[in-house]
Amino acid sequence: MRSGHVNGLVILALALGMIGVTGGPGVHWAAAQEPPQQQQRRQQEQAPERQQPPAAASLANQWVVSSLAGRLATDRQGPAGLSVYFGDLHSHTGYSDGVGTPADAYAYARQQGGLDFLALTDHGYMVTPTPAHWLDTLKEADRFTEPGKFVALTGVEWTNSSDGHINVFTSRQEHPDRDQQPTYLSLYQYVKDRPDTFAEFNHPGFDIQRNWDAFAYYPWADGAVVTLEVASGPYPHNLKYESSYQLALARGWHVAAVGVSDVHQWAWGTATPSRTGVWATALTRPALVEAIRARRTYASEDANVRVWFSADGQPLGSVLSLPYGDPRSTTISFDAQIWDPDAQDRVRQVELVDQSGQVVCAWRAGEQDSPALQQAQGLELQATVHPTSSYAYWYLRVEQADGDRVVTSPIWAQAPGPVFAHDLESGPAPMKATQPAWVQGSLVNLGSADAQVRVELVRAGGVQGAGEELLAASPTPLSVKGQESVPFRLEWTPRLTDMGRQDLWVRVATAAASADGAAGTAAAKQEGWYPLTVQVYPATLPELWIDEGHNNRGTGQSAPLQKALLQAGWDSQVLSEGWQVEGPAAWDRAAAVWVGYPESGFSLLPTTFSQAEMEAVARYVQGGGVLILAGGAGDEDGLAELDRLGQAVGAHGRLSALPGVQSAGALAVWYRVDSAGSLEASPGPQPGTTSAEQLVAVEKGLLMAVDASVVQLPRADGSPEAAEPRTQVLAVTEHDQVYAAAEPVGRGWVIWLGSAGWLGPEQSAGQERGTDNLRFIKALSQWIERQRQRLQERPQHQPEAPPQQQAVAHSQGVDRG
């Protein structure tokens, strides 16, 4: 969705009801009410990060790797008497919005597609009006199923245009219907009431659906939804939903990883090499369904790679038991076996990922490996890991030499329960010393009886009580009903001595309720422990204001920028409406103001800067502020409006091409960041050469054109800055075009950027080159800090008045709002 459309909805909500927010004395802005879907996505993007366990818990973990040569047969046989079978759990026919009939699909999948099993999941709302189609699907599934040769599965895809799509697998003559089950909760209940039916989360991308209220967790429905499409789409390399998989698991869902095609063409089994691998006792319908419900599956972009994953002898999908108390006192032994019948498909890397999304064990193929291992067609990896939580899980992530990836179902390790803490978060971001902070999450009761629970936030060197400090606790025990969950929130205030990284624990003590409802005393062995790492910052941080009140490019997408700034020790605020300024003192809090170019076209927000706004920004810059003007490709009117703002401030740079200066067009650009984090001009790497500096790539976009003869003119007023260098070139493109430049104006600076660098496409461009664009943002913040420090050291003088005449001249141009 273009930002203009999003902002149109925002301002429409604003017209219906606006929440006013005061941003310090003298300056006011408003936070508009957003449409629910955009609000949910923004909250997800900008929410405090999921907390990581103490790093020391996993430092010693290492894979021990050996070759499987001579120890693994070339057939499907694996450990524990199981064999692996490959198929597709999401496909369509002409009975909904695909092609062909069920007979066509099953025959093609078996003969041309080479699948061991295929599930047809036509859209339920299209199948319901024609019951004969559903009955024909059931009949053809029975006809094409041949034990040991091929298994045909049946189901329907339940669709909700807002919440998302869910496959429901069943062999009954009845099937769910969105008119009868209009909400995902009613669908969960439908599946739960039918033990021979199970469900799957489909293509769970937040760009197309709300994902069932961001995977809101209901313990009573946990056994109903069994699988999640980590890989989905009728094309190669479709494993793109791992982050959604991690979120669902963190919420508490016990779901298995699958890879599907969602094919609507005559290509069942050939649209993509991606498969679901299933470890089953036999290729029969009952055995296959049993294996899927037991979560013995993995999502693979390769059509035939065998991946086995176990812990303490139990296969993927299992739930192991942890003792109460310190989870780190336990060790779990993992075993992974990877083998591909295609000799060229060797393993590039193997990673063990834990419940925080962190890699706790990694092996990457390299020259340090033995010759036998370098040539191995199959590998076995073993590791011993200490759990870091009373509710822990791990899954395997594999990458082959050709880039194909595999993600397995998890193996869980849980204390006896029945109550667990999930989804821990802390805030606010940034968390500051001497200011109120909080920790929150959910208590989930997987048992049938009600439980009384006490929740505490502690700091402890060891969780057995040595050096323990109680930071916060629930004032009374919380009541959690069986098969339900309740939120909890603990508040505390970090001290000045707490600045930096803090490894904390949430302790959950469960006691059975007495007959009169009072809570009993919880013994130490009934305590569960959950790690939480926070970063505490100083009470005062430099602050960046981000303009989103002019339909700016990147509106609603500033979370990566804010995250990078926070990592650099900066706070940030989003200005979601225009700048309503009552005096220059109101701007003192802002170390810098970031303005992306206004996008013209349909918008209910203004796409021009008012005279009052330009005068306020000019006073801010002349008095020592930093104004960042970020351009990009695509909107000449928006770039011209940003140039107009720069002129009003008194700057000479331009984002739109100047006469006689060739625009770089769609050339990739590079930043160079030295080891100290400083920005340097760099023409980028020359062919055949290497550089020790970190090169950071950004989006292909329209680049700034700077007329050096203009911006390097000395000041004529004799001010102290006159003898200093004028424009500083911060970064240039690989074709010697200026990309980023800082121009002194009055006591402040105007920084011109060719693009933002932190938007999704820009980050992707950097990732393709193995770099991180956000490093530039961090380095830029450090550059600004150095200039602010120098400003404090300079003798004070009266700042220039803003160039009113120039501003007025430009304000008489065409109004593009």
Side-chain angles (χ1 to χ4, degrees):
M1 177 182 292
R2 290 190 69 253
S3 59
H5 296 165
V6 173
N7 283 317
L9 295 175
V10 172
I11 206 69
L12 180 60
L14 188 66
L16 297 175
M18 184 171 64
I19 302 174
V21 182
T22 301
V27 61
H28 304 279
W29 63 88
Q33 292 182 350
E34 298 175 292
Q37 185 170 2
Q38 183 185 348
Q39 184 181 50
Q40 180 187 17
R41 288 182 58 189
R42 178 193 281 269
Q43 290 172 348
Q44 163 121 3
E45 291 170 349
Q46 297 185 349
E49 291 186 72
R50 303 204 171 277
Q51 306 303 321
Q52 313 304 338
S58 61
L59 288 179
N61 300 330
Q62 289 185 342
W63 287 116
V64 177
V65 189
S66 58
S67 172
L68 280 175
R71 293 192 291 131
L72 187 66
T74 58
D75 58 16
R76 303 170 180 271
Q77 188 84 32
L82 300 174
S83 298
V84 65
Y85 303 101
F86 298 96
D88 187 354
L89 291 172
H90 189 168
S91 65
H92 296 272
T93 73
Y95 284 178
S96 60
D97 55 351
V99 297
T101 66
D104 296 327
Y106 289 135
Y108 187 98
R110 177 175 176 175
Q111 296 167 12
Q112 280 78 32
L115 299 183
D116 297 317
F117 61 89
L118 175 71
L120 292 183
T121 53
D122 282 311
H123 293 280
Y125 73 94
M126 300 180 76
V127 172
T128 298
T130 313
H133 284 172
W134 176 242
L135 295 176
D136 183 57
T137 302
L138 296 177
K139 181 191 71 174
E140 295 298 340
D142 289 340
R143 185 166 72 91
F144 275 91
T145 295
E146 183 179 354
K149 300 293 185 180
F150 182 80
V151 170
L153 300 174
T154 54
V156 295
E157 183 173 14
W158 176 91
T159 58
N160 181 304
S161 58
S162 175
D163 292 325
H165 298 189
I166 295 177
N167 278 347
V168 177
F169 302 97
T170 179
S171 58
R172 292 168 169 259
Q173 289 193 359
E174 64 170 293
H175 62 80
D177 180 85
R178 70 182 184 186
D179 290 333
Q180 300 298 320
Q181 292 81 36
T183 67
Y184 64 81
L185 286 178
S186 60
L187 182 71
Y188 293 167
Q189 188 65 55
Y190 174 95
V191 178
K192 180 178 181 295
D193 291 342
R194 293 158 177 80
D196 57 346
T197 300
F198 62 96
E200 172 175 292
F201 289 130
N202 291 1
H203 39 70
F206 279 95
D207 57 334
I208 58 175
Q209 59 194 30
R210 293 191 310 175
N211 285 350
W212 317 281
D213 288 328
F215 296 103
Y217 181 61
Y218 300 89
W220 56 267
D222 198 0
V225 184
V226 174
T227 56
L228 180 147
E229 295 177 0
V230 183
S232 179
Y235 44 82
H237 296 291
N238 64 356
L239 201 157
K240 58 181 182 179
Y241 296 122
E242 187 178 356
S243 61
S244 295
Y245 182 49
Q246 292 174 342
L247 178 60
L249 294 172
R251 290 285 192 257
W253 291 99
H254 290 74
V255 287
V258 298
V260 304
S261 72
D262 194 4
V263 65
H264 289 66
Q265 297 81 35
W266 202 287
W268 302 275
T270 58
T272 173
S274 292
R275 302 284 190 266
T276 296
V278 180
W279 289 97
T281 56
L283 185 57
T284 64
R285 186 182 291 169
L288 205 62
V289 170
E290 182 277 329
I292 296 171
R293 296 187 68 114
R295 302 179 292 267
R296 296 196 301 270
T297 68
Y298 57 91
S300 172
E301 292 180 334
D302 183 277
N304 57 3
V305 61
R306 283 81 157 135
V307 178
W308 172 259
F309 176 49
S310 65
D312 289 349
Q314 300 302 308
L316 65 173
S318 298
V319 179
L320 310 181
S321 179
L322 287 177
Y324 282 115
D326 185 352
R328 296 171 299 178
S329 62
T330 303
T331 59
I332 295 180
S333 297
F334 290 94
D335 180 80
Q337 297 180 19
I338 306 158
W339 183 83
D340 194 307
D342 303 316
Q344 71 276 14
D345 284 341
R346 293 194 174 90
V347 179
R348 175 186 293 167
Q349 68 178 19
V350 181
E351 297 173 322
L352 183 66
V353 183
D354 73 0
Q355 74 277 354
S356 67
Q358 298 299 297
V359 176
V360 297
C361 259
W363 173 83
R364 292 171 178 83
E367 295 180 359
Q368 72 277 10
D369 296 319
S370 66
L373 202 58
Q374 292 180 35
Q375 299 300 318
Q377 190 173 345
L379 298 177
E380 181 170 22
L381 304 94
Q382 296 175 326
T384 299
V385 172
H386 294 277
T388 57
S389 174
S390 292
Y391 183 95
Y393 50 83
W394 303 262
Y395 65 85
L396 204 65
R397 182 164 58 206
V398 179
E399 183 175 336
Q400 294 182 301
D402 61 359
D404 285 342
R405 296 168 296 165
V406 175
V407 166
T408 74
S409 295
I411 294 174
W412 288 263
Q414 304 171 188
V419 178
F420 301 95
H422 285 298
D423 216 19
L424 299 183
E425 294 179 346
S426 65
M431 184 179 292
K432 299 179 180 179
T434 73
Q435 298 185 15
W438 48 263
V439 170
Q440 65 184 22
S442 297
L443 296 176
V444 176
N445 186 350
L446 298 181
S448 57
D450 297 353
Q452 301 297 308
V453 184
R454 179 175 172 83
V455 186
E456 299 173 335
L457 179 65
V458 299
R459 176 174 20 225
V463 296
Q464 298 299 340
E468 177 183 307
E469 179 184 4
L470 179 64
L471 302 178
S474 55
T476 59
L478 303 176
S479 179
V480 188
K481 294 183 178 180
Q483 293 291 295
E484 293 190 7
S485 64
V486 298
F488 70 87
R489 184 182 177 96
L490 302 176
E491 297 183 351
W492 67 300
T493 301
R495 302 165 300 198
L496 289 174
T497 55
D498 292 335
M499 286 192 296
R501 176 190 172 102
Q502 297 291 319
D503 293 329
L504 310 177
W505 295 84
V506 171
R507 179 168 59 194
V508 176
T510 306
S514 62
D516 59 1
T521 301
K525 68 178 182 179
Q526 293 179 298
E527 292 177 346
W529 289 76
Y530 306 87
L532 187 76
T533 298
V534 300
Q535 183 76 25
V536 180
Y537 294 88
T540 302
L541 296 175
E543 187 170 304
L544 179 81
W545 289 359
I546 304 169
D547 181 26
E548 292 193 358
H550 297 87
N551 200 42
N552 311 76
R553 182 170 189 254
T555 291
Q557 304 176 55
S558 60
L561 172 61
Q562 294 179 288
K563 179 180 178 180
L565 289 166
L566 185 57
Q567 292 173 347
W570 279 49
D571 203 352
S572 57
Q573 294 288 337
V574 173
L575 309 186
S576 58
E577 202 185 353
W579 307 322
Q580 302 173 22
V581 181
E582 296 179 358
W587 294 77
D588 289 347
R589 288 191 301 109
V593 176
W594 183 295
V595 184
Y597 69 78
E599 292 192 282
S600 59
F602 174 76
S603 173
L604 296 181
L605 288 176
T607 57
T608 59
F609 302 102
S610 70
Q611 182 67 24
E613 289 173 333
M614 291 190 294
E615 291 175 0
V617 175
R619 285 192 297 268
Y620 165 73
V621 175
Q622 293 281 338
V626 177
L627 176 64
I628 303 171
L629 302 177
D635 195 322
E636 291 292 342
D637 286 345
L639 296 179
E641 184 63 20
L642 216 55
D643 286 348
R644 177 173 171 256
L645 180 61
Q647 288 175 288
V649 169
H652 297 90
R654 299 292 180 272
L655 284 162
S656 52
L658 296 176
V661 179
Q662 183 180 2
S663 171
L667 300 174
V669 299
W670 295 81
Y671 301 119
R672 182 161 70 187
V673 183
D674 68 15
S675 58
S678 299
L679 305 175
E680 297 180 357
S682 170
Q686 299 300 317
T689 64
T690 59
S691 173
E693 290 85 357
Q694 173 74 28
L695 295 174
V696 185
V698 298
E699 183 198 20
K700 300 173 181 178
L702 183 65
L703 306 180
M704 176 180 63
V706 173
D707 187 337
S709 65
V710 174
V711 299
Q712 292 183 359
L713 286 175
R715 293 171 86 51
D717 61 0
S719 64
E721 288 83 2
E724 296 183 4
R726 294 293 296 152
T727 297
Q728 295 190 25
V729 177
L730 303 180
V732 300
T733 75
E734 55 189 335
H735 292 269
D736 295 322
Q737 293 281 339
V738 174
Y739 174 76
E743 178 183 352
V745 176
R747 292 176 60 80
W749 291 85
V750 173
I751 297 175
W752 303 85
L753 300 179
S755 69
W758 46 264
L759 299 177
E762 301 167 359
Q763 294 185 75
S764 298
Q767 291 167 0
E768 290 174 1
R769 296 175 180 265
T771 57
D772 178 7
N773 298 335
L774 299 182
R775 276 180 56 86
F776 177 74
I777 305 299
K778 298 175 188 177
L780 184 64
S781 66
Q782 294 169 353
W783 185 92
I784 294 173
E785 277 291 280
R786 290 197 296 272
Q787 307 315 311
R788 284 163 48 85
Q789 181 64 33
R790 291 170 184 168
L791 177 63
Q792 295 173 1
E793 296 170 354
R794 294 175 185 170
Q796 295 293 318
H797 73 283
Q798 187 68 25
E800 289 185 344
Q804 302 285 353
Q805 186 174 2
Q806 187 180 41
V808 171
H810 283 283
S811 69
Q812 294 173 349
V814 177
D815 183 2
R816 285 178 293 273

